[in-house]
Amino acid sequence: MDQEILDEALEELQATLGDRATPDLSHRIGYSRDWSPRHRSHVDLPDIVVLPKTTDEVVEIVKIAYRHRIPVVPFAGGTGMAGGVAAWKGGIAIETKSLNQVLELDEANMMVTVQAGITIWDLNEELARHGRWFPHQPESKRACTIGASIGCDNDSTFGLRYGKILDVLSNVVMVTGEGEAVRFGRRKAAFTSTGYKLLDLIVGSEGTLGVVTEATLRVFPMPETRLVRGFVCRSLEDGIRALERMLASGLGVESAHLNCRRRLRFYTHAYREKYQKEPEIPDWAEAILFLSFAGDEEVVKFSLEKATRILLDEFAAEGVKEQEMVDGWWASKHSLDFLPFRQKWPDSQRQKKFGAADIGLPIGRVQEAYQGFLDISSRWEQDVLGMTVYNESPNKPTASISFAVFVDDSTEESVANFYRYVREMSAMAVEMEGTMSSYIGDGDRLGGFNELEHGASYTYMKRIKEMFDPGGIFNPGKKFESRWIPTP
Ligand SMILES: Cc1cc2nc3c(=O)[nH]c(=O)nc-3n(C[C@H](O)[C@H](O)[C@H](O)COP(=O)(O)OP(=O)(O)OC[C@H]3O[C@@H](n4cnc5c(N)ncnc54)[C@H](O)[C@@H]3O)c2cc1C
């Protein structure tokens, strides 16, 4: 960026925000990367960091950026896995976590309106005081914000009952490309058949259409009790069919996670540390299905008994013997102080970095895709961590899959091999009539290459971007360009 333009913009930003607009390197470095695999010394420095506290302040920031045609990158928890916050083309990083207020809890309508930078954890702390909870919860909920959940359309531990963010989102306020704050969505009604569904467009837009500053969300009564159990299955397909059978029987399953045998090792570090032995998993077991049931005690107990009968009698599955191991797995999804990091990544990611191809598939292609995963990861010399199938649609089995590997981030070549692996996995997903990414997003990896999935509709996406963002300032490069995967 031209330094003179930046200096002028900084002066204007400081006139509005004071020292909450800064060019200091010590601040910029904190906004220079997320959790996506890249070489360990790689950073993308924004030129200026701003910390707005209100929608009006975001409006002012965007107006200044638009006037000077300076890139604007919304930055939330920085836990994204796709490089969505990488200030690849410099510009202004908007720290959204200062927008962290609960604006209204409407108990009669079971709705809450928040500023978009509040973390899911903090929102739930507040709701707990009123006996309510917000069930859209990625494992990173302690750092991950509501705005980023909307921004990257992430997934949730409780997706099988409550779906994805769109299932619990009523409307948002977003500041668009010329600095106008606009409400998108359907106020507090659960549905609308008027107008176009622009809210759907914003979900997953990764800060390329605007900065989300407020959101109105559906909240739920806190369940009275919860039981979590694990079952070993003879194949991945058995696990999926058993879940389908449970749902068809009328059971309300709260969450279901189907792991390949390899992936289980990732979750059992705490168990091994404590007992100095492997958990007892029979040799024939190819998959582990974790289930949770939540609600009134009587219903939860009955549901678990019925689910157990289906699994054991109809699918020759077995219950996981060490409940402590199951509890450890569950805790790894919810613990304080990011225990998951310590539990799942024994070396705290110093030597190995988590990386995943996250693809969505038609439910019948999972077993076949698993074989593809083993072949493709071996071709690119990836250290396989394993596969988890997440269910992200209310009351039906769906295949949102994490095909995870450990990435060696010590050389450019080994990181490049990871992205070659992602490219082939993504192409496989499209060939199987699925999607290249079901919860991580395009970020700075799939842009351009994703035309393979979207075909002619890709042109309409580009036009939509131009309409919302006429100056091309919002998160430039994301969705339409890739630095890591060449366009075919
Ligand atoms: C330990 C760990 C566990 C994880 N578990 C899960 C999981 O269970 N499920 C899952 O889906 N993901 C998971 N992730 C990935 C990541 O946490 C999610 O993608 C999450 O949504 C990122 O949130 P964030 O607040 O850190 O966003 P950031 O990384 O800061 O931003 C993500 C994207 O959203 C955009 N954005 C942020 N705020 C706004 C806004 N207000 N308006 C417009 N755009 C915005 C950013 O520009 C960027 O493109 C995990 C990551 C880690 C490190």
Side-chain angles (χ1 to χ4, degrees):
M1 286 284 333
D2 184 310
Q3 195 54 47
E4 235 173 81
I5 295 176
L6 284 171
D7 289 345
E8 231 175 278
L10 180 64
E11 208 173 295
E12 291 171 28
L13 289 166
Q14 286 179 333
T16 304
L17 299 167
D19 61 4
R20 286 185 286 120
T22 173
D24 285 358
L25 183 61
S26 58
H27 280 84
R28 289 155 59 210
I29 204 97
Y31 298 88
S32 61
R33 61 184 292 168
D34 60 9
W35 280 71
S36 54
R38 48 206 62 205
H39 186 267
R40 59 183 58 162
S41 61
H42 181 106
V43 286
D44 292 299
L45 286 172
D47 297 294
I48 298 170
V49 175
V50 293
L51 291 85
K53 290 185 173 179
T54 62
T55 296
D56 286 349
E57 288 183 347
V58 176
V59 164
E60 284 313 308
I61 294 163
V62 172
K63 280 184 176 163
I64 294 166
Y66 178 64
R67 242 188 342 265
H68 295 285
R69 296 295 190 272
I70 300 176
V72 169
V73 183
F75 196 109
T79 65
M81 302 291 297
V85 293
W88 174 16
K89 312 208 173 194
I92 302 169
I94 299 195
E95 155 65 278
T96 58
K97 276 177 136 175
S98 304
L99 294 154
N100 58 8
Q101 300 300 305
V102 174
L103 301 175
E104 182 199 41
L105 175 58
D106 177 350
E107 296 213 48
N109 292 309
M110 307 284 281
M111 293 277 175
V112 68
T113 300
V114 295
Q115 286 188 306
I118 193 168
T119 63
I120 292 171
W121 186 272
D122 287 347
L123 171 59
N124 270 306
E125 295 266 285
E126 178 59 29
L127 291 174
R129 287 192 257 282
H130 303 268
R132 305 269 185 250
W133 77 310
F134 179 64
H136 180 81
Q137 300 192 5
E139 291 178 35
S140 51
K141 61 192 168 196
R142 198 166 167 79
C144 167
T145 68
I146 293 294
S149 297
I150 295 164
C152 48
D153 196 9
N154 56 15
D155 73 10
S156 159
T157 301
F158 304 103
L160 181 57
R161 177 169 291 176
Y162 300 98
K164 293 194 87 178
I165 191 86
L166 255 178
D167 294 288
V168 289
L169 178 67
S170 252
N171 63 69
V172 299
V173 173
M174 185 171 83
V175 179
T176 58
E178 288 167 87
E180 187 183 8
V182 184
R183 189 173 296 278
F184 294 92
R186 43 176 202 271
R187 298 165 188 269
K188 290 183 182 174
F191 322 98
T192 173
S193 59
T194 70
Y196 293 119
K197 293 187 172 46
L198 298 184
L199 188 63
D200 294 37
L201 199 61
I202 289 164
V203 172
S205 60
E206 297 180 280
T208 60
L209 302 180
V211 186
V212 177
T213 58
E214 284 180 29
T216 300
L217 308 151
R218 178 73 200 254
V219 297
F220 295 81
M222 186 105 70
E224 177 189 297
T225 188
R226 173 176 291 115
L227 288 174
V228 184
R229 294 290 183 271
F231 296 87
V232 287
C233 301
R234 286 164 196 274
S235 66
L236 291 162
E237 217 176 311
D238 264 13
I240 292 166
R241 286 196 300 123
L243 178 60
E244 203 165 47
R245 172 74 190 93
M246 282 176 236
L247 296 170
S249 79
L251 280 178
V253 188
E254 188 198 36
S255 77
H257 294 80
L258 183 66
N259 296 273
C260 74
R261 198 187 164 100
R262 287 179 171 81
R263 182 80 175 229
L264 190 66
R265 270 190 70 77
F266 181 55
Y267 294 114
T268 51
H269 173 69
Y271 183 90
R272 276 196 300 277
E273 289 272 288
K274 185 165 174 190
Y275 296 105
Q276 297 296 308
K277 64 167 185 163
E278 291 293 321
E280 266 182 60
I281 302 295
D283 289 343
W284 51 261
E286 287 301 326
I288 293 97
L289 179 63
F290 290 108
L291 299 172
S292 75
F293 298 90
D296 289 3
E297 199 174 346
E298 186 190 356
V299 178
V300 167
K301 272 190 179 159
F302 169 80
S303 302
L304 179 61
E305 276 165 29
K306 173 74 181 168
T308 305
R309 278 204 302 278
I310 290 175
L311 276 153
L312 272 51
D313 299 350
E314 299 179 32
F315 293 91
E318 267 182 23
V320 170
K321 292 201 176 68
E322 295 95 336
Q323 182 59 29
E324 198 174 339
M325 193 267 285
V326 177
D327 294 342
W329 165 81
W330 185 253
S332 80
K333 294 191 164 301
H334 308 282
S335 302
L336 270 172
D337 296 331
F338 260 23
L339 184 69
F341 291 149
R342 292 207 292 276
Q343 195 171 30
K344 293 178 189 172
W345 290 289
D347 62 5
S348 303
Q349 297 216 61
R350 274 190 299 275
Q351 285 137 30
K352 294 168 170 177
K353 183 102 183 151
F354 179 96
D358 64 306
I359 66 180
L361 290 175
I363 196 71
R365 308 298 289 263
V366 172
Q367 190 82 46
E368 194 185 341
Y370 183 59
Q371 193 51 52
F373 166 49
L374 297 181
D375 294 345
I376 295 169
S377 54
S378 144
R379 184 150 56 248
W380 295 110
E381 297 173 348
Q382 299 298 297
D383 183 2
V384 167
L385 193 158
M387 166 183 131
T388 301
V389 179
Y390 301 107
N391 288 278
E392 297 300 326
S393 190
N395 289 315
K396 49 182 173 294
T398 49
S400 170
I401 313 182
S402 159
F403 289 102
V405 295
F406 287 117
V407 185
D408 170 7
D409 64 353
S410 64
T411 73
E412 298 284 0
E413 184 55 16
S414 51
V415 174
N417 271 347
F418 167 73
Y419 285 104
R420 290 177 184 124
Y421 154 77
V422 172
R423 180 188 56 203
E424 271 196 47
M425 290 295 290
S426 305
M428 178 184 81
V430 174
E431 215 176 286
M432 290 185 174
E433 298 180 273
T435 175
M436 291 180 176
S437 176
S438 55
Y439 64 95
I440 291 181
D442 295 301
D444 65 354
R445 51 179 200 153
L446 296 176
F449 184 64
N450 55 9
E451 192 172 1
L452 190 67
E453 176 175 337
H454 297 292
S457 71
Y458 197 63
T459 314
Y460 287 82
M461 293 183 190
K462 284 185 172 163
R463 286 192 213 154
I464 285 167
K465 160 85 173 156
E466 281 162 18
M467 206 175 66
F468 276 82
D469 179 22
I473 58 172
F474 283 131
N475 220 350
K478 312 296 160 49
K479 288 216 176 285
F480 299 104
E481 292 173 52
S482 170
R483 323 149 87 176
W484 314 111
I485 295 176
T487 307

